[in-house]
């Protein structure tokens, strides 16, 4: 897990640095993550930071969870009547089963050694048919990109606290957590975009019928 102090220090510059690091994808990725009508949904922005998702999305209930007070303080500058910010650790989320229609997690999974544990909890707190949407850096196979990821990004940007996964590892973790993987794409060779659905009761019945 990342040192908590890091985000406390970096919060004032975070949005500027993230725009640079996302190499021109800052707006297009967010459009893709939010490319549906979410206005009636209950949503969780997991590791919400300064509010990349939760200060833009239209939803009935918006919850942002993060453990950094400084990141949450910047997030809170944008007032939204249906937004609640929760200071907490993603490894120990204080939510009930089937609370959310969507869970978004942008640029944060690499902070976790055991993201598979978090995926299992996300599956539990999503409603059946609900989706988990993720954007982050990943482990490229391309040797040049892999070298950049494991030198510059790992050592300079992430200060040696970083866990990234290949596409295959992502697929396996999602499937083991119980998700149906709908989209698993790389972006610019450096990032991964995921949309995965918690099965509906009908999905389970159908697969039971064909078994
Ligand atoms: C790189 S930022 C991403 C913020 C935001 N999602 C975005 O896309 O701009 C990662 C965030 O994860 C939060 N974080 C890291 N480890 C966490 C944990 N164990 N529990 C909750 N939040 C955590 C950090 O405080 C930080 O705000």
């Amino acid at each position: 897990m990342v040192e908590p102090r890091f985000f406390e220090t970096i919060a004032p510059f975070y949005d500027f640095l993230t725009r640079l690091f996302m190499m021109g994808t800052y707006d297009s990725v967010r459009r893709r993550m939010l490319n549906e009508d979410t206005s009636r949904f209950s949503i969780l922005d997991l590791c919400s930071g300064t509010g990349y998702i939760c200060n833009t999305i239209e939803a009935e209930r918006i919850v942002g969870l993060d453990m950094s007070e400084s990141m949450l303080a910047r997030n809170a500058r944008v007032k939204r009547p249906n937004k609640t910010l929760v200071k907490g650790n993603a490894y120990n989320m204080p939510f009930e089963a089937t609370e959310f229609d969507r869970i978004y997690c942008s640029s944060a999974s690499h902070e976790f050694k055991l993201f598979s544990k978090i995926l299992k909890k996300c599956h539990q707190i999503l409603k059946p048919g609900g989706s988990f949407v993720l954007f982050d850096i990943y482990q490229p196979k391309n040797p040049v990109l892999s070298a950049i990821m494991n030198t510059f990004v790992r050592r300079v940007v992430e200060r040696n606290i970083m866990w990234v996964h290949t596409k295959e590892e992502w697929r396996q973790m999602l499937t083991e957590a119980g998700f149906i993987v709908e989209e698993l794409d790389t972006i610019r060779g450096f990032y991964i975009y995921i949309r995965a659905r918690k099965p509906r009761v009908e999905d389970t019945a159908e697969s039971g019928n064909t078994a």
Side-chain angles (χ1 to χ4, degrees), residues 42 51 75 94 106 110 115 151 161 176 178 189 194 204:
S42 170
N75 191 328
S106 66
H110 65 273
F115 199 72
T151 52
I161 304 174
E176 280 174 7
I194 292 169
T204 321

PDB file of all heavy atoms in Angstrom, residues 42 51 75 94 106 110 115 151 161 176 178 189 194 204:
ATOM      1  N   SER A  42     -26.677   4.573  -8.007  1.00  0.00           N
ATOM      2  CA  SER A  42     -25.907   4.788  -6.788  1.00  0.00           C
ATOM      3  C   SER A  42     -24.472   4.391  -7.151  1.00  0.00           C
ATOM      4  O   SER A  42     -24.230   3.257  -7.571  1.00  0.00           O
ATOM      5  CB  SER A  42     -26.479   3.874  -5.704  1.00  0.00           C
ATOM      6  OG  SER A  42     -25.649   3.879  -4.591  1.00  0.00           O
ATOM      7  N   GLY A  51     -11.390  13.930  -7.230  1.00  0.00           N
ATOM      8  CA  GLY A  51     -12.761  13.934  -7.768  1.00  0.00           C
ATOM      9  C   GLY A  51     -12.882  13.738  -9.261  1.00  0.00           C
ATOM     10  O   GLY A  51     -13.886  14.143  -9.854  1.00  0.00           O
ATOM     11  N   ASN A  75     -11.184  17.529  -3.124  1.00  0.00           N
ATOM     12  CA  ASN A  75     -12.411  16.995  -3.709  1.00  0.00           C
ATOM     13  C   ASN A  75     -13.631  17.761  -3.169  1.00  0.00           C
ATOM     14  O   ASN A  75     -14.533  18.145  -3.925  1.00  0.00           O
ATOM     15  CB  ASN A  75     -12.493  15.502  -3.336  1.00  0.00           C
ATOM     16  CG  ASN A  75     -13.571  14.763  -4.080  1.00  0.00           C
ATOM     17  OD1 ASN A  75     -14.589  15.333  -4.408  1.00  0.00           O
ATOM     18  ND2 ASN A  75     -13.375  13.483  -4.316  1.00  0.00           N
ATOM     19  N   PRO A  94     -16.482   0.417   4.184  1.00  0.00           N
ATOM     20  CA  PRO A  94     -17.620   0.336   5.107  1.00  0.00           C
ATOM     21  C   PRO A  94     -18.968   0.316   4.375  1.00  0.00           C
ATOM     22  O   PRO A  94     -19.871   1.098   4.684  1.00  0.00           O
ATOM     23  CB  PRO A  94     -17.471   1.646   5.901  1.00  0.00           C
ATOM     24  CG  PRO A  94     -16.887   2.597   4.906  1.00  0.00           C
ATOM     25  CD  PRO A  94     -16.012   1.794   3.994  1.00  0.00           C
ATOM     26  N   SER A 106     -10.220   4.823 -10.822  1.00  0.00           N
ATOM     27  CA  SER A 106      -9.298   5.342 -11.839  1.00  0.00           C
ATOM     28  C   SER A 106      -7.935   5.627 -11.226  1.00  0.00           C
ATOM     29  O   SER A 106      -7.838   6.230 -10.145  1.00  0.00           O
ATOM     30  CB  SER A 106      -9.875   6.599 -12.508  1.00  0.00           C
ATOM     31  OG  SER A 106      -9.964   7.631 -11.578  1.00  0.00           O
ATOM     32  N   HIS A 110      -2.965   0.315  -8.953  1.00  0.00           N
ATOM     33  CA  HIS A 110      -1.531   0.003  -8.827  1.00  0.00           C
ATOM     34  C   HIS A 110      -0.984   0.321  -7.433  1.00  0.00           C
ATOM     35  O   HIS A 110       0.154  -0.012  -7.123  1.00  0.00           O
ATOM     36  CB  HIS A 110      -0.726   0.761  -9.895  1.00  0.00           C
ATOM     37  CG  HIS A 110      -0.779   2.247  -9.703  1.00  0.00           C
ATOM     38  ND1 HIS A 110      -1.772   3.038 -10.233  1.00  0.00           N
ATOM     39  CD2 HIS A 110       0.034   3.084  -9.009  1.00  0.00           C
ATOM     40  CE1 HIS A 110      -1.570   4.304  -9.877  1.00  0.00           C
ATOM     41  NE2 HIS A 110      -0.479   4.352  -9.143  1.00  0.00           N
ATOM     42  N   PHE A 115      -4.894  -6.265  -4.925  1.00  0.00           N
ATOM     43  CA  PHE A 115      -6.112  -5.687  -5.505  1.00  0.00           C
ATOM     44  C   PHE A 115      -7.193  -6.749  -5.699  1.00  0.00           C
ATOM     45  O   PHE A 115      -8.381  -6.421  -5.737  1.00  0.00           O
ATOM     46  CB  PHE A 115      -5.802  -4.962  -6.823  1.00  0.00           C
ATOM     47  CG  PHE A 115      -6.899  -3.998  -7.188  1.00  0.00           C
ATOM     48  CD1 PHE A 115      -7.077  -2.824  -6.484  1.00  0.00           C
ATOM     49  CD2 PHE A 115      -7.775  -4.287  -8.220  1.00  0.00           C
ATOM     50  CE1 PHE A 115      -8.111  -1.946  -6.786  1.00  0.00           C
ATOM     51  CE2 PHE A 115      -8.808  -3.424  -8.539  1.00  0.00           C
ATOM     52  CZ  PHE A 115      -8.972  -2.246  -7.822  1.00  0.00           C
ATOM     53  N   THR A 151      11.026   1.159 -15.031  1.00  0.00           N
ATOM     54  CA  THR A 151      12.136   2.025 -14.615  1.00  0.00           C
ATOM     55  C   THR A 151      11.570   3.393 -14.258  1.00  0.00           C
ATOM     56  O   THR A 151      11.304   3.685 -13.099  1.00  0.00           O
ATOM     57  CB  THR A 151      13.186   2.150 -15.746  1.00  0.00           C
ATOM     58  OG1 THR A 151      12.526   2.540 -16.945  1.00  0.00           O
ATOM     59  CG2 THR A 151      13.932   0.861 -15.946  1.00  0.00           C
ATOM     60  N   ILE A 161       6.633   1.956  -5.228  1.00  0.00           N
ATOM     61  CA  ILE A 161       5.466   1.333  -4.592  1.00  0.00           C
ATOM     62  C   ILE A 161       4.417   1.201  -5.675  1.00  0.00           C
ATOM     63  O   ILE A 161       3.633   2.128  -5.916  1.00  0.00           O
ATOM     64  CB  ILE A 161       4.952   2.184  -3.419  1.00  0.00           C
ATOM     65  CG1 ILE A 161       6.082   2.407  -2.419  1.00  0.00           C
ATOM     66  CG2 ILE A 161       3.772   1.500  -2.729  1.00  0.00           C
ATOM     67  CD1 ILE A 161       5.742   3.338  -1.292  1.00  0.00           C
ATOM     68  N   GLU A 176     -12.020 -14.581 -11.182  1.00  0.00           N
ATOM     69  CA  GLU A 176     -12.017 -15.219  -9.855  1.00  0.00           C
ATOM     70  C   GLU A 176     -12.884 -14.468  -8.848  1.00  0.00           C
ATOM     71  O   GLU A 176     -13.444 -15.070  -7.935  1.00  0.00           O
ATOM     72  CB  GLU A 176     -10.580 -15.324  -9.325  1.00  0.00           C
ATOM     73  CG  GLU A 176      -9.854 -16.505  -9.956  1.00  0.00           C
ATOM     74  CD  GLU A 176      -8.383 -16.575  -9.574  1.00  0.00           C
ATOM     75  OE1 GLU A 176      -7.923 -15.791  -8.722  1.00  0.00           O
ATOM     76  OE2 GLU A 176      -7.692 -17.418 -10.179  1.00  0.00           O
ATOM     77  N   GLY A 178     -15.624 -13.164  -9.641  1.00  0.00           N
ATOM     78  CA  GLY A 178     -17.026 -13.422 -10.002  1.00  0.00           C
ATOM     79  C   GLY A 178     -17.573 -12.533 -11.108  1.00  0.00           C
ATOM     80  O   GLY A 178     -18.762 -12.576 -11.414  1.00  0.00           O
ATOM     81  N   GLY A 189      -0.838   1.751 -25.172  1.00  0.00           N
ATOM     82  CA  GLY A 189       0.193   0.780 -24.798  1.00  0.00           C
ATOM     83  C   GLY A 189       0.583   0.807 -23.329  1.00  0.00           C
ATOM     84  O   GLY A 189       1.339  -0.017 -22.854  1.00  0.00           O
ATOM     85  N   ILE A 194     -11.015  -1.254 -18.168  1.00  0.00           N
ATOM     86  CA  ILE A 194     -11.806  -2.465 -17.864  1.00  0.00           C
ATOM     87  C   ILE A 194     -13.252  -2.091 -17.574  1.00  0.00           C
ATOM     88  O   ILE A 194     -13.517  -1.117 -16.849  1.00  0.00           O
ATOM     89  CB  ILE A 194     -11.233  -3.178 -16.618  1.00  0.00           C
ATOM     90  CG1 ILE A 194      -9.854  -3.754 -16.925  1.00  0.00           C
ATOM     91  CG2 ILE A 194     -12.175  -4.266 -16.105  1.00  0.00           C
ATOM     92  CD1 ILE A 194      -9.097  -4.243 -15.707  1.00  0.00           C
ATOM     93  N   THR A 204     -26.797 -16.276 -14.188  1.00  0.00           N
ATOM     94  CA  THR A 204     -26.424 -17.463 -13.423  1.00  0.00           C
ATOM     95  C   THR A 204     -27.342 -18.625 -13.804  1.00  0.00           C
ATOM     96  O   THR A 204     -26.891 -19.740 -14.018  1.00  0.00           O
ATOM     97  CB  THR A 204     -26.566 -17.174 -11.902  1.00  0.00           C
ATOM     98  OG1 THR A 204     -26.112 -15.854 -11.673  1.00  0.00           O
ATOM     99  CG2 THR A 204     -25.775 -18.141 -11.082  1.00  0.00           C
TER     100      THR A 204
END
